[in-house]
């Protein structure tokens, strides 16, 4: 098989992981592109003999495809430079920081007939596949709501807020699980440190076709690292904890049924409790699964499972959160009890 030369554009925290997994694939050669000489030196120290360059424009003759893992504000320019030169491109999440830019990327890929894929890593995660299987098989019953939490003392980003940084994962996971994009968002977002971007946020996404709400909590300012998706069904509930080694999904056979008692003082619900089961999930590194899929898509010309259009859909949801955050909040005033002082 002909060697595929993949340029990894941005050798930071995440780009270095792409270099590791792409470098492990057969018949793939990696070229590292980063304007920071210290990052290029680090790439060479870790990976030995490796072609490195400071600018994508200077490498277009020596690469067949590109993975863009630079800061999000750079994604459109870098991806479009590569697409324009006839290269298939995988762009990290979020695809772009605005809808018009994401649309331009998708349009260019379509015009050029090139592969544009977005790095929604969790859609290549066997635990997320298992969660979807549990929903689709009906084991959980009708889905009542989904709740996600992605918290940490996180990496503050210079060019976007915590929603644009972390919530692409939750939007992609939940819409993948439900096979539906949300059509409305409500947001509470606040900045606690620094002068620029919100670092703690709560979102509600409404999926009107299935009449399901999903609640998303994202934070760069939390003492506990949490990566959790909870799916609450009428029959059972499932919790996906991405930080667990061997019980990433737990299915709780518990539930609550509404009662219509005659007596106004009686309990309005009945409870059911049962087993907690953790299904076996074959481990596969999601980034490896994702990048293998990208390489295959470029080689075969097939449409990737997460094409640019999917990245655009998520950017549309993210853009709606900016609009929602700018809208005046409805607040409930707490009236004083009027106790005499
Ligand atoms: N899928 C995931 O789970 C996941 C996880 C972390 C980060 N990410 C995404 O990966 C991207 C990078 O994030 P990060 O945390 O690695 O950031 P980072 O700041 O650690 O690294 C970014 C790198 O890009 C380089 N860079 C800047 N401008 C460039 C340009 N014009 N050309 C080439 N390189 C350039 C910087 O020098 C730096 O080395 C972001 O889009 C982020 O959202 C995805």
């Amino acid at each position: 098989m002909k060697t595929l030369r993949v340029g990894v554009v941005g050798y930071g925290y995440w780009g270095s992981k792409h270099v590791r997994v792409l470098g492990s694939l057969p018949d793939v050669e990696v070229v590292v592109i980063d304007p920071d000489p210290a990052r290029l030196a680090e790439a060479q120290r870790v990976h030995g003999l490796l072609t490195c360059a400071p600018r994508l424009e200077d490498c277009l003759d020596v690469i067949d495809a590109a993975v863009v893992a630079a800061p999000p504000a750079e994604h459109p320019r870098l991806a479009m430079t590569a697409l324009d030169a006839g290269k298939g491109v995988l762009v990290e999440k979020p695809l772009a920081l605005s809808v018009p830019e994401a649309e331009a990327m998708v349009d260019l890929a379509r015009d050029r007939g090139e592969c544009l894929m977005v790095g929604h890593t969790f859609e290549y995660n066997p635990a997320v596949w298992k969660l979807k299987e549990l929903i689709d098989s009906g084991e959980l019953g009708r889905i009542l709501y989904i709740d996600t939490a992605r918290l940490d003392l996180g990496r503050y980003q210079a060019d976007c807020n915590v929603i644009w940084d972390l919530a692409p994962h939750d939007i992609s996971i939940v819409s993948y699980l439900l096979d539906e994009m949300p059509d409305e968002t409500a947001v509470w977002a606040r900045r606690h440190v620094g002068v620029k971007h919100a670092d703690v946020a709560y979102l509600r996404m409404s999926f009107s076709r299935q009449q399901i709400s999903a609640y998303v909590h994202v934070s760069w300012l939390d003492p506990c690292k949490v990566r959790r998706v909870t799916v609450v069904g009428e029959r059972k509930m499932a919790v996906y904890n991405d930080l667990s080694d061997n019980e990433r999904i737990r299915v709780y056979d518990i539930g609550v049924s509404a009662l219509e008692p005659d007596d106004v003082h009686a309990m309005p619900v009945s409870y059911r409790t049962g087993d907690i089961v953790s299904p076996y999930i074959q481990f596969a590194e999601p980034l490896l699964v994702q990048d293998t899929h990208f390489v295959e898509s470029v080689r075969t010309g097939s449409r990737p499972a997460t094409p640019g259009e999917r990245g655009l859909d998520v950017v549309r949801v993210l853009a709606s959160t900016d609009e929602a955050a700018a809208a005046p909040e409805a607040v409930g005033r707490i009236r004083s009890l009027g106790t005499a002082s």
Side-chain angles (χ1 to χ4, degrees):
M1 198 185 290
K2 185 176 168 285
T3 298
L4 191 80
R5 288 161 305 171
V6 182
V8 175
V9 191
Y11 186 81
Y13 164 69
W14 200 242
S16 65
K17 297 186 194 300
H18 278 288
V19 172
R20 172 176 57 75
V21 302
L22 287 164
S24 74
L25 297 181
D27 303 309
V28 171
E29 206 176 287
V30 178
V31 174
V32 175
I33 299 150
D34 199 299
D36 182 346
R39 296 309 301 156
L40 293 185
E42 173 67 5
Q44 264 165 341
R45 189 187 67 74
V46 175
H47 301 282
L49 277 181
L50 197 68
T51 308
C52 288
R55 279 167 27 101
L56 171 64
E57 290 78 354
D58 301 333
C59 301
L60 293 170
D61 290 343
V62 296
I63 61 171
D64 305 304
V67 171
V68 176
E74 292 286 304
H75 290 180
R77 185 183 67 76
L78 293 167
M80 290 172 81
T81 300
L83 288 168
D84 222 8
K87 319 292 172 189
V89 185
L90 165 63
V91 181
E92 261 310 328
K93 61 79 197 166
L95 186 65
L97 292 179
S98 75
V99 172
E101 285 175 313
E103 282 172 344
M105 294 159 84
V106 167
D107 288 348
L108 183 62
R110 195 180 297 130
D111 289 351
R112 295 294 146 96
E114 293 300 337
C115 169
L116 174 63
M117 174 168 157
V118 66
H120 289 170
T121 332
F122 282 94
E123 293 182 49
Y124 299 89
N125 185 316
V128 175
W129 299 341
K130 186 71 194 179
L131 206 49
K132 183 161 175 57
E133 210 178 292
L134 288 165
I135 294 171
D136 291 350
S137 69
E139 186 172 342
L140 306 183
R142 185 170 67 87
I143 304 307
L144 299 177
Y145 75 92
I146 297 179
D147 182 272
T148 75
R150 200 166 298 281
L151 327 173
D152 205 352
L153 202 54
R155 296 162 53 82
Y156 276 73
Q157 302 294 316
D159 56 0
C160 66
N161 68 18
V162 69
I163 299 177
W164 283 82
D165 181 39
L166 298 182
H169 291 312
D170 303 288
I171 299 165
S172 109
I173 292 171
V174 177
S175 60
Y176 169 78
L177 292 177
L178 297 179
D179 282 323
E180 182 178 351
M181 289 309 293
D183 45 17
E184 199 179 272
T185 56
V187 175
W188 180 95
R190 281 285 183 281
R191 167 180 50 80
H192 300 86
V193 176
V195 289
K196 255 182 160 176
H197 302 301
D199 46 17
V200 178
Y202 296 81
L203 332 179
R204 178 176 56 77
M205 298 190 282
S206 305
F207 297 80
S208 65
R209 185 167 52 79
Q210 298 173 74
Q211 298 197 326
I212 296 173
S213 288
Y215 308 99
V216 175
H217 179 193
V218 283
S219 177
W220 289 327
L221 193 59
D222 197 284
C224 301
K225 181 164 181 166
V226 179
R227 300 281 184 266
R228 192 184 57 225
V229 178
T230 305
V231 182
V232 174
E234 231 165 13
R235 289 185 54 219
K236 294 184 184 176
M237 306 182 187
V239 177
Y240 160 35
N241 175 6
D242 192 49
L243 302 181
S244 171
D245 282 337
N246 50 9
E247 289 187 25
R248 277 183 297 154
I249 291 186
R250 284 179 165 196
V251 183
Y252 295 72
D253 186 3
I254 59 175
V256 175
S257 303
L259 299 174
E260 287 181 15
D262 297 334
D263 179 354
V264 288
H265 299 297
M267 287 277 278
V269 295
S270 68
Y271 295 89
R272 189 172 42 74
T273 53
D275 292 339
I276 301 170
V277 172
S278 179
Y280 172 71
I281 297 163
Q282 174 95 44
F283 180 75
E285 185 183 355
L287 191 65
L288 178 61
V289 177
Q290 175 194 282
D291 287 7
T292 304
H293 180 63
F294 172 61
V295 165
E296 271 168 20
S297 302
V298 171
R299 278 197 202 284
T300 60
S302 57
R303 187 173 164 80
T306 52
E309 286 83 351
R310 178 112 183 90
L312 168 59
D313 279 346
V314 169
V315 169
R316 287 192 208 282
V317 179
L318 293 165
S320 82
T321 69
D322 286 344
E323 198 184 320
E329 283 178 53
V331 291
R333 297 260 169 241
I334 300 167
R335 284 172 182 77
S336 153
L337 290 177
T339 45
S341 53

